[in-house]
Amino acid sequence: MTADEARRQIIESASGLQGAAATFEQTPLARLSEAMMTSGSEGRTVSPWGKALTSGLGAVLDTTGGDFNYDASTGVYVWNPDTQAWRQERPADSLILRFPESKDAPSNNATFTLSRYETQSVTIIGSTEEVPTRVGASLSVDSTKVFALDLEDVSFTSLLGIPQSFSLDVTANPLAFTTSLEPGQNGTFQYEDRFRNDGQPVTATTATVDLSPDGAEGDGSTLGRVEGTTQVGQDLAIEYAADVGALSALEDASADEISDRVSVDVLLQGNQVATLRYDGSAEQVIVEYTDGTTEPLSDLLREIGVSGGAS
């Protein structure tokens, strides 16, 4: 297969990514996100209206000691556009925020609910942090739920402070994303995720992560080998493997040293059509097709519609 044929089929096979992005732009969550932001000479920043909403929360949420105290912050709070401030309407078992979905909305038609929030003290690189382990949150607009997040089953390695299990479900109808990490055998972990648009698969990943024995002893090398497959649509798959521990032990790794420890193959209907490699002289990732043709990965991603590309 020539590079032109492979490139065309890759772009076609990844069209679901553009479709999902277009779907998200039509959701109430996207409209709220757009209202919270503004464009200027410095790029996208929080809008004055969005800044007033978020900064005003500091007066009603308990952050004693620098950490968010959920139990001390529960209650129903409503936004007053005249005073540009939140006020507590009544006590509640959850944290409930009622506000307009945009600056010009005639009423507080959006409701954010944080119904569950638990944390665990975890030591990360020598410092202790309060890390969320159970979170239940939702957003409704005009009494219709438009977003939901459910995080649970989070646990951490005792010495390294990195997750060894979690389960996360996120929906922004009709988009749905689920992901999980579970411990396996002999220091391995199984990672999976699924992204769907109106029930149709967009991407799916299955990967195995190895926690190296040396890392478990706390010498700073935490990960061993990572290998897995990401399926994009029905026909496109990316298979990858990386010796993360060996890479992290190298100083100023050369392009050849990186290539020796990382492999990424692009497959169409099970047949390899390209590989990815790091070009040290250009300091970017290159797509190399089976006919020898190459191009920057950022160019291909731009055609696929992945914003920002890659370098």
Side-chain angles (χ1 to χ4, degrees):
M1 182 181 295
T2 67
D4 287 343
E5 293 171 328
R7 194 175 194 273
R8 176 181 57 79
Q9 290 189 39
I10 289 172
I11 294 170
E12 291 177 354
S13 298
S15 61
L17 293 171
Q18 295 185 36
T23 297
F24 177 76
E25 291 300 322
Q26 301 304 312
T27 63
L29 179 62
R31 294 198 299 270
L32 175 59
S33 300
E34 183 68 20
M36 294 285 289
M37 304 299 291
T38 187
S39 298
S41 58
E42 298 180 356
R44 301 279 289 171
T45 59
V46 179
S47 67
W49 174 76
K51 187 174 294 185
L53 281 178
T54 55
S55 63
L57 287 173
V60 296
L61 302 184
D62 190 305
T63 56
T64 303
D67 294 318
F68 170 55
N69 188 327
Y70 173 70
D71 291 333
S73 299
T74 57
V76 178
Y77 301 90
V78 296
W79 176 252
N80 187 322
D82 296 327
T83 61
Q84 293 285 286
W86 295 89
R87 65 174 177 83
Q88 184 172 10
E89 185 176 67
R90 59 179 174 82
D93 294 333
S94 301
L95 172 61
I96 301 172
L97 306 175
R98 293 176 176 161
F99 56 98
E101 67 169 324
S102 67
K103 180 181 179 181
D104 299 322
S107 64
N108 289 332
N109 63 328
T111 301
F112 172 79
T113 302
L114 185 60
S115 58
R116 185 175 66 250
Y117 188 84
E118 299 177 7
T119 65
Q120 178 181 335
S121 297
V122 179
T123 301
I124 304 174
I125 315 179
S127 65
T128 301
E129 305 289 345
E130 289 295 323
V131 180
T133 55
R134 294 188 72 217
V135 179
S138 65
L139 175 70
S140 297
V141 176
D142 294 327
S143 300
T144 299
K145 184 181 292 187
V146 298
F147 170 81
L149 181 150
D150 186 10
L151 173 69
E152 56 186 16
D153 301 327
V154 179
S155 64
F156 301 87
T157 56
S158 59
L159 295 178
L160 301 174
I162 62 176
Q164 65 178 359
S165 70
F166 65 80
S167 173
L168 175 66
D169 294 335
V170 180
T171 59
N173 292 325
L175 302 174
F177 177 76
T178 64
T179 180
S180 65
L181 178 71
E182 297 181 353
Q185 297 180 341
N186 301 320
T188 63
F189 299 86
Q190 304 299 317
Y191 172 83
E192 292 186 358
D193 68 45
R194 298 288 184 273
F195 180 37
R196 293 179 175 272
N197 182 1
D198 199 19
Q200 298 302 308
V202 179
T203 63
T205 295
T206 301
T208 300
V209 182
D210 174 63
L211 188 64
S212 68
D214 289 340
E217 293 173 4
D219 69 349
S221 177
T222 61
L223 294 177
R225 183 175 177 83
V226 178
E227 57 183 16
T229 301
T230 295
Q231 185 75 31
V232 182
Q234 297 293 330
D235 299 329
L236 177 63
I238 298 92
E239 294 184 348
Y240 43 86
D243 289 324
V244 180
L247 279 173
S248 62
L250 296 173
E251 294 184 4
D252 298 324
S254 67
D256 288 341
E257 288 175 323
I258 294 175
S259 297
D260 288 343
R261 293 165 175 81
V262 178
S263 65
V264 183
D265 298 327
V266 182
L267 292 79
L268 285 169
Q269 297 182 338
N271 299 312
Q272 183 176 340
V273 296
T275 60
L276 305 185
R277 61 177 175 81
Y278 179 69
D279 185 335
S281 59
E283 297 185 345
Q284 62 182 344
V285 179
I286 297 296
V287 183
E288 183 171 345
Y289 297 95
T290 51
D291 67 357
T293 303
T294 64
E295 70 168 322
L297 175 60
S298 56
D299 290 352
L300 179 59
L301 291 179
R302 193 174 300 112
E303 289 295 324
I304 290 174
V306 178
S307 61
S311 59

